[in-house]
Amino acid sequence: MSGGPDARDARGGVPALVRAAAIALAAGMGVLAVALVAGGAVAEQIIPGIATAGTLTRWGLPISRTVMDLASALTIGTLLAASVLLPLETRRGGAAAGTGTLSRDAVGYLRAASWLAAGWAAGAAATLVFTVSDVLGQPVGQVLTGSELSSYVGSLEQGTALMIVVLLAVVVALLARTTTTPAAAIGLLAMAGVALLPAPLTGHSASSANHAIAVTGVALHVAAVAPWVGGLAVVTAHALLRRGRLPVMAGRFSRMALWCYIVVGASGMLNVVARMPDPAELVTTNYGRLALAKIVAFGALGWFGWWHRERTLPALDERRPRGVRNRAFARLAGVEVAVMSGTMGLAVALASTAPPAPTGTESAVRTLLGYEMPPPITAGRLATLWWFDLFFAALALVLAGVYLAGVVRLRRRGDSWPMWRTAFWLVGVLTIVLATQTGVARYASILFSVHMAQHMTLNMLTPIFLVVGAPITLALRALKPARIRGDRGPREWLTAALHSRYSAFIAHPATATIIFVASTFALYFTPLFQSLMQNHLGHIAMTVHFLLAGFLFFWVLLGVDPAPKRLPYPGRLLLLFVTMPFHAFFGIALMNLSRPIAEGWYNAVDPPWGTTLLQDQHTGGAIAWAFGEIPTFIVLIVLAIQWYSDDQRQARREDRKADRAAKAGAAAGAPAEDDELAAYNARLAKLAERDRLAGERGGDA
């Protein structure tokens, strides 16, 4: 059989797809080669007495990185197309009627993701081998036959990061071959997103003088580039293969691409500023010239995106044959993909080129912290010595902006939202800013006592305000249902997550309480705390854990938003009074320590004006012991108000039910027997009437 029209269209588009892919690959590799030569990254530097890895490694390392980056972006793009860009299909008939399933094209993209993830793993493995060869100055053959490779993987961050990428990519490749459900597809997309980050975060960003901005900047940059590049490539392939649903797919990608473009541009500029504080270095250094060329290419990509939104997407909605519409889109998108591939080659060359060395001498404390030792701590300096942390600044901006956007959407359609809930949410966001951007953030890395105050604020105070703000309820009301029946938009995904088995487990009161309490003891009384303090990413992960663990616990305790399991109010009070003493016990344990926690870290950043490490940690224990009274008092007030309001709602509900029953009884001449309260009142009336009649008969006798 020759197949239907769709199959013939797809086969007819294969040569065009192969041709476009070849052009894009040639553009990427060509720009990479020119940029490597122009930037001097492949120029042989012979230093007497130091061995060199050879020509194969000098060229093989950037080429393998390019292959790894392209394969990772295409893997993300195919998974994105399968789970988000293509609408789900609705089953008809049977027990599963009305449920959305992956379309045939979506399943095909999942299978393609399996092959691309395998290529991603191979590219990461080749990058690992060439990196070892480059670091040790040994030829590739010697690295493969010796024991250097295994020792490098376990001892250096770059080796460990690349091995993690290989393992995660292999898992994605294996699971994508059998996955057929929307939830599994979105899970693979999340896993692939995690696999994007280890490799770039252990490069130049980790060693930058201003690594607090550089590390977060490169993470945001990579997280936005991959779906943008991969998504465009897959949408273009979809058009070249003349498949259906292109208007829906292109429209969804365009909305996502705009945000990706903004994030890529902002994070890219921050990365450039973090590595080159002097603007003159953009034209006086090889690194700066490559960065300038990348900025120009980025501007060209912005023009392509604007043209698509203004001209191409409206043309897709016209009533023309599918093949004509798809070819019109593919012509411009194919050129854009080639430009984007060349930009990625330029980015790899930029990453392979050493940034300008910092001017002047850099102290050991600045190398560890990213800033110089602050002056002696005072209340005024805690409030005025602001420190810009890109990650938490972006987090606060997103939390406030998205929440306010939801409130505005409700107001525009005529719905109300309590102002006091908005105020609570914004107060919670403000506490995040105060704990991570002010002088508290500067001193938290060098004084355990300040760190503990920051921890308690983000773990036990901030989440209360955020939970009372009811963000999930706001999202469910503000988000619009999916336009296509059976499909999943943000609202449907949120609803599915709330009803998932994972949510039922993680939001169980016992689970939330264990995470809230046990993780604190596990962090501070094991070597984990020192390991996290020594790495900026580790410090971010630790702080985010404080925030999420507190939010989960108070979400269960206060019960404002929908949750898999709700505790009655007496149970909530019992849970509060059982849990809070554990933080007091934790504070007492800190005050009784005879040896400092994370002694290696605090000795390395020991301020000359500070107290002894043990005394400072005893102060931190006192803060932990005393701080628990504040959130306990706030939660008690909130619970009392909630309990009273719930009782009032129940009373009003019963009153309305009684009124309806009375009206129905008056109309029918008899009480409404199906109403519990009315039936109960009727029974009482009958008993009273019977007693009255019995009394009258007794009196007559």
Side-chain angles (χ1 to χ4, degrees):
M1 296 179 64
S2 60
D6 290 345
R8 289 194 295 271
D9 285 346
R11 287 196 297 270
V14 170
L17 175 61
V18 173
R19 184 167 57 252
I23 293 173
L25 183 61
M29 291 300 177
V31 172
L32 173 66
V34 172
L36 288 173
V37 173
V42 293
E44 185 174 9
Q45 298 179 0
I46 301 177
I47 301 176
I50 298 179
T52 59
T55 304
L56 178 61
T57 297
R58 286 198 303 274
W59 284 96
L61 180 57
I63 290 175
S64 64
R65 282 179 179 170
T66 304
V67 171
M68 179 179 70
D69 291 346
L70 287 174
S72 64
L74 292 175
T75 302
I76 293 290
T78 49
L79 292 173
L80 192 68
S83 58
V84 177
L85 299 183
L86 280 172
L88 301 179
E89 293 184 344
T90 305
R91 294 179 181 176
R92 297 185 182 276
T99 59
T101 60
L102 294 178
S103 65
R104 183 178 179 181
D105 286 339
V107 174
Y109 285 129
L110 278 177
R111 303 301 176 257
S114 176
W115 292 104
L116 291 167
W120 182 7
T127 303
L128 175 59
V129 173
F130 284 122
T131 302
V132 174
S133 173
D134 182 60
V135 170
L136 300 181
Q138 297 179 356
V140 173
Q142 185 175 344
V143 170
L144 292 174
T145 57
S147 60
E148 291 84 359
L149 186 61
S150 59
S151 61
Y152 175 83
V153 169
S155 59
L156 294 180
E157 287 186 353
Q158 284 180 296
T160 304
L162 288 170
M163 183 53 65
I164 291 174
V165 173
V166 172
L167 294 176
L168 290 177
V170 168
V171 172
V172 172
L174 294 175
L175 295 180
R177 296 191 65 82
T178 57
T179 294
T180 57
T181 64
I186 204 77
L188 287 179
L189 177 62
M191 183 181 296
V194 172
L196 286 172
L197 299 178
L201 292 179
T202 54
H204 292 321
S205 59
S207 58
S208 173
N210 198 355
H211 54 265
I213 294 178
V215 168
T216 304
V218 76
L220 292 174
H221 197 76
V222 171
V225 163
W228 181 28
V229 174
L232 177 63
V234 174
V235 173
T236 304
H238 197 84
L240 289 170
L241 293 174
R242 304 171 191 173
R243 291 177 175 170
R245 297 286 193 177
L246 179 62
V248 175
M249 196 176 183
R252 291 181 177 182
F253 170 75
S254 178
R255 290 190 292 271
M256 181 197 71
L258 176 62
W259 289 105
C260 288
Y261 186 82
I262 294 172
V263 173
V264 168
S267 59
M269 290 304 298
L270 287 172
N271 288 331
V272 170
V273 171
R275 293 175 176 84
M276 292 185 300
D278 186 2
E281 293 177 332
L282 282 171
V283 293
T284 59
T285 64
N286 290 335
Y287 188 90
R289 285 188 285 268
L290 290 179
L292 194 59
K294 187 180 175 184
I295 292 172
V296 173
F298 179 77
L301 291 173
W303 178 85
F304 276 108
W306 172 82
W307 186 271
H308 274 302
R309 292 179 68 89
E310 296 295 323
R311 303 293 180 87
T312 310
L313 291 181
L316 291 177
D317 292 331
E318 295 179 2
R319 297 184 178 275
R320 294 188 294 174
R322 180 196 300 177
V324 175
R325 288 186 284 118
N326 286 19
R327 283 193 297 271
F329 176 85
R331 278 195 296 269
L332 182 62
V335 177
E336 185 180 1
V337 168
V339 174
M340 191 171 281
S341 179
T343 306
M344 289 193 70
L346 192 59
V348 172
L350 186 65
S352 302
T353 305
T359 58
T361 58
E362 185 172 344
S363 65
V365 171
R366 182 176 178 81
T367 302
L368 292 172
L369 301 177
Y371 53 88
E372 295 293 347
M373 177 67 68
I377 184 171
T378 62
R381 286 167 180 158
L382 285 172
T384 58
L385 283 181
W386 283 64
W387 164 248
F388 180 68
D389 189 301
L390 176 59
F391 178 86
F392 290 103
L395 177 64
L397 182 63
V398 169
L399 290 178
V402 172
Y403 191 95
L404 291 176
V407 174
V408 170
R409 174 175 287 187
L410 287 182
R411 295 292 176 86
R412 283 180 176 175
R413 73 183 188 202
D415 294 335
S416 62
W417 182 256
M419 286 295 297
W420 61 270
R421 289 207 184 278
T422 304
F424 267 92
W425 179 266
L426 294 179
V427 169
V429 174
L430 179 61
T431 60
I432 295 176
V433 173
L434 295 177
T436 61
Q437 307 294 314
T438 62
V440 173
R442 285 185 184 264
Y443 289 98
S445 295
I446 59 176
L447 291 176
F448 183 82
S449 55
V450 180
H451 165 84
M452 187 54 60
Q454 183 189 55
H455 170 180
M456 290 295 157
T457 300
L458 294 174
N459 186 237
M460 300 180 67
L461 189 62
T462 300
I464 297 175
F465 294 103
L466 296 181
V467 166
V468 175
I472 299 176
T473 302
L474 175 62
L476 291 173
R477 291 185 58 188
L479 291 173
K480 299 178 181 179
R483 296 180 179 178
I484 302 174
R485 183 175 180 270
D487 195 17
R488 281 187 179 180
R491 191 178 191 276
E492 288 74 19
W493 280 114
L494 178 58
T495 304
L498 288 173
H499 290 88
S500 66
R501 294 180 180 178
Y502 174 78
S503 294
F505 170 75
I506 200 71
H508 191 279
T511 307
T513 303
I514 290 173
I515 293 174
F516 183 65
V517 174
S519 60
T520 301
F521 288 88
L523 173 67
Y524 288 101
F525 295 116
T526 65
L528 180 61
F529 178 60
Q530 177 162 307
S531 300
L532 295 176
M533 290 295 290
Q534 291 173 342
N535 185 284
H536 184 66
L537 285 177
H539 188 266
I540 290 176
M542 176 173 55
T543 308
V544 170
H545 171 77
F546 295 156
L547 193 60
L548 293 180
F551 186 90
L552 177 63
F553 176 74
F554 289 109
W555 178 37
V556 172
L557 188 65
L558 297 177
V560 177
D561 282 322
K565 183 176 179 62
R566 283 184 177 274
L567 284 174
Y569 285 102
R572 298 181 191 184
L573 287 174
L574 179 62
L575 181 62
L576 175 66
F577 288 122
V578 167
T579 303
M580 287 306 172
F582 282 99
H583 282 81
F585 297 154
F586 168 70
I588 294 172
L590 287 177
M591 288 189 288
N592 289 311
L593 285 177
S594 59
R595 185 177 180 85
I597 295 174
E599 188 172 5
W601 167 258
Y602 285 109
N603 279 328
V605 297
D606 186 28
W609 40 261
T611 62
T612 63
L613 299 184
L614 201 56
Q615 183 178 351
D616 181 59
Q617 292 186 2
H618 288 170
T619 303
I623 292 173
W625 172 72
F627 197 94
E629 304 297 331
I630 301 173
T632 301
F633 179 70
I634 296 175
V635 170
L636 283 174
I637 294 176
V638 173
L639 282 177
I641 295 173
Q642 288 181 342
W643 200 342
Y644 174 78
S645 300
D646 186 68
D647 285 344
Q648 293 297 310
R649 284 193 299 269
Q650 292 289 345
R652 288 193 297 268
R653 189 179 298 117
E654 294 297 334
D655 290 341
R656 288 194 299 268
K657 186 185 296 184
D659 292 340
R660 288 195 301 268
K663 291 179 181 178
E673 297 295 339
D674 58 342
D675 187 276
E676 183 180 351
L677 183 60
Y680 179 70
N681 290 334
R683 285 196 298 271
L684 290 178
K686 288 181 180 179
L687 290 173
E689 181 65 17
R690 188 177 63 185
D691 292 342
R692 186 184 66 79
L693 293 175
E696 289 178 355
R697 286 196 296 270
D700 293 340

